Amino acid sequence: MPLIEVRDLKTYFYTEDGVVRAVDGVDFTIEPEKTLGIVGESGCGKSVTALSIMGLVQSPPGKIEGGEILYHRDGKVTDLTTLNPKGREMRSIRGNEIAMIFQEPMTSLNPVYTIGNQIMEAIILHQQLRKKKAHAKAIEMLRAVGIPLPEQRVDEYPHQLSGGMRQRAMIAMALSCNPSLLIADEPTTALDVTIQAQVLELMNALRQEFKAAIQFITHNLGVIARMADDVVVMYLGRIVEGASVEEVFHNPKHPYTQGLMNSIPSLASRKERLVPIKGVVPDPFEVPAGCGFEPRCPHAMEICKTQIPPLKDVTPGHQAACWLYS
């Protein structure tokens, strides 16, 4: 039984300039204790998909216009799109059973509260622990994520911690209630390479320790190769390819995924020139009528200009949305 099933999710933003279809018919599943990687260029809808699951899409201008987000727990199935984002049931899920780590911890942590108080807030709210026990649990979580001197750091403010330590504190906060799903939205982008590697290693270890599933959002294919069990590739609000991480890296089917792979430097073939994807992502207010990748695709056909290709199995367990396979 999957943990999360996203079916035909559509999240639109209504602006003065028109409608932005940030997520436009997305389907995927997240299995218990597995990591699903979501990869794509900036603006493809990765983060909006995560915010839709969390019930954090700002309305107005955003609105979930269709689809289902089915959350399986304790033999029950709950469609998260039907819950009031500010209601009691959604608040009991958000931060407790489904938690999120944001890209830049300095904009997510409150500068006027200590790290300990911010971790304790979630523990007291969801686990009904008294302040003294919540304080001890906050220290325990800071120790679990590898922050030195946790008894001291628990009473410090975000500006007193380095970028890597702030991100570890965010992970401690997200895991403090032992969630079944951890959504990580580009959690290592703002960190240097050495700290990135430490944080990724930490997340892998904590996933196994806490038996949580992870939805890992990034544009870094190296991170996906290291972290994910399965991968979906997004472009212009749609999923264009989905398979296991081995299939996507060794046998990419969609021209966009192939373009991403061709632009990665390789130690095995140093003399070959990298092949960039030509053009730029279309204006979100002027999305092509057919396949969104058609203006940049080296294999574009006439049908690509007028009809959106369906996401279908190309080989067992490997899906692609491309007319080349129809």
Side-chain angles (χ1 to χ4, degrees), residues 291-307:
C291 175
F293 191 60
E294 180 271 329
R296 308 173 69 186
C297 183
H299 308 293
M301 301 175 286
E302 200 61 34
I303 190 175
C304 303
K305 297 179 181 180
T306 57
Q307 296 186 40

Side-chain angles (χ1 to χ4, degrees), residues 64-81:
I64 296 178
E65 284 290 7
E68 299 175 313
I69 302 172
L70 303 179
Y71 174 41
H72 298 259
R73 52 172 178 160
D74 303 326
K76 298 190 302 180
V77 181
T78 304
D79 184 358
L80 300 182
T81 64

Side-chain angles (χ1 to χ4, degrees), residues 113-120 123 131 134-143 147-158 160-161 165 169:
Y113 289 98
T114 65
I115 293 295
N117 279 336
Q118 295 182 64
I119 297 174
M120 288 164 59
I123 297 172
K131 191 172 181 179
H135 188 267
K137 179 71 181 288
I139 294 173
E140 178 189 328
M141 292 308 303
L142 290 177
R143 184 177 289 110
I147 290 183
L149 302 174
E151 294 84 358
Q152 173 187 328
R153 300 296 185 186
V154 75
D155 295 321
E156 292 184 347
Y157 293 86
Q160 295 177 278
L161 275 62
M165 289 175 71

Side-chain angles (χ1 to χ4, degrees), residues 19-302:
V19 180
V20 176
R21 301 186 177 192
V23 178
D24 196 17
V26 163
D27 296 88
F28 62 82
T29 61
I30 302 174
E31 302 294 331
E33 301 182 38
K34 298 287 186 181
T35 298
L36 174 72
I38 300 184
V39 67
E41 294 177 72
S42 297
C44 72
K46 307 186 300 294
S47 295
V48 176
T49 302
L51 293 174
S52 299
I53 294 174
M54 292 290 292
L56 293 175
V57 175
Q58 186 175 348
S59 177
K63 185 179 180 183
I64 296 178
E65 284 290 7
E68 299 175 313
I69 302 172
L70 303 179
Y71 174 41
H72 298 259
R73 52 172 178 160
D74 303 326
K76 298 190 302 180
V77 181
T78 304
D79 184 358
L80 300 182
T81 64
T82 64
L83 302 183
N84 180 352
K86 298 179 181 178
R88 179 180 296 178
E89 188 173 2
M90 189 67 211
R91 283 189 286 117
S92 71
I93 294 172
R94 186 194 302 124
N96 183 31
E97 299 176 42
I98 302 176
M100 188 166 178
I101 305 168
F102 294 92
Q103 180 173 344
E104 177 45 68
M106 206 52 184
T107 61
S108 306
L109 294 169
N110 193 320
V112 301
Y113 289 98
T114 65
I115 293 295
N117 279 336
Q118 295 182 64
I119 297 174
M120 288 164 59
E121 183 180 11
I123 297 172
I124 292 170
L125 175 65
H126 295 298
Q127 298 192 347
Q128 283 83 46
L129 293 182
R130 293 187 179 276
K131 191 172 181 179
K132 187 175 181 179
K133 288 189 175 180
H135 188 267
K137 179 71 181 288
I139 294 173
E140 178 189 328
M141 292 308 303
L142 290 177
R143 184 177 289 110
V145 298
I147 290 183
L149 302 174
E151 294 84 358
Q152 173 187 328
R153 300 296 185 186
V154 75
D155 295 321
E156 292 184 347
Y157 293 86
H159 72 273
Q160 295 177 278
L161 275 62
S162 67
M165 289 175 71
R166 284 195 294 265
Q167 195 60 282
R168 288 170 184 263
M170 283 287 295
I171 295 171
M173 191 184 307
L175 291 173
S176 61
C177 296
N178 197 14
S180 54
L181 173 63
L182 179 63
I183 300 175
D185 187 3
E186 307 212 29
T188 59
T189 300
L191 307 176
D192 63 62
V193 176
T194 305
I195 303 301
Q196 271 190 30
Q198 293 176 6
V199 170
L200 293 177
E201 197 69 39
L202 171 68
M203 290 185 67
N204 256 333
L206 292 175
R207 181 192 71 167
Q208 296 173 23
E209 180 181 345
F210 288 90
K211 300 188 182 303
I214 297 178
Q215 180 183 337
F216 203 101
I217 299 168
T218 184
H219 60 270
N220 189 326
L221 290 168
V223 170
I224 287 292
R226 181 171 182 171
M227 291 291 294
D229 298 298
D230 300 294
V231 184
V232 294
V233 181
M234 289 189 70
Y235 187 81
L236 215 60
R238 293 178 174 273
I239 290 176
V240 296
E241 186 160 359
S244 67
V245 67
E246 292 86 1
E247 270 290 302
V248 169
F249 273 79
H250 296 295
N251 191 22
K253 296 293 186 182
H254 196 278
Y256 175 59
T257 313
Q258 293 168 358
L260 292 177
M261 298 301 171
N262 289 336
S263 62
I264 302 175
S266 171
L267 292 175
S269 54
R270 297 183 184 182
K271 295 182 180 179
E272 292 184 13
R273 289 181 64 88
L274 298 179
V275 183
I277 301 173
K278 294 180 180 180
V280 295
V281 179
D283 188 321
F285 295 107
E286 298 178 5
V287 176
C291 175
F293 191 60
E294 180 271 329
R296 308 173 69 186
C297 183
H299 308 293
M301 301 175 286
E302 200 61 34

Side-chain angles (χ1 to χ4, degrees), residues 305-318:
K305 297 179 181 180
T306 57
Q307 296 186 40
I308 299 172
L311 185 67
K312 57 189 293 186
D313 282 345
V314 178
T315 58
H318 194 153

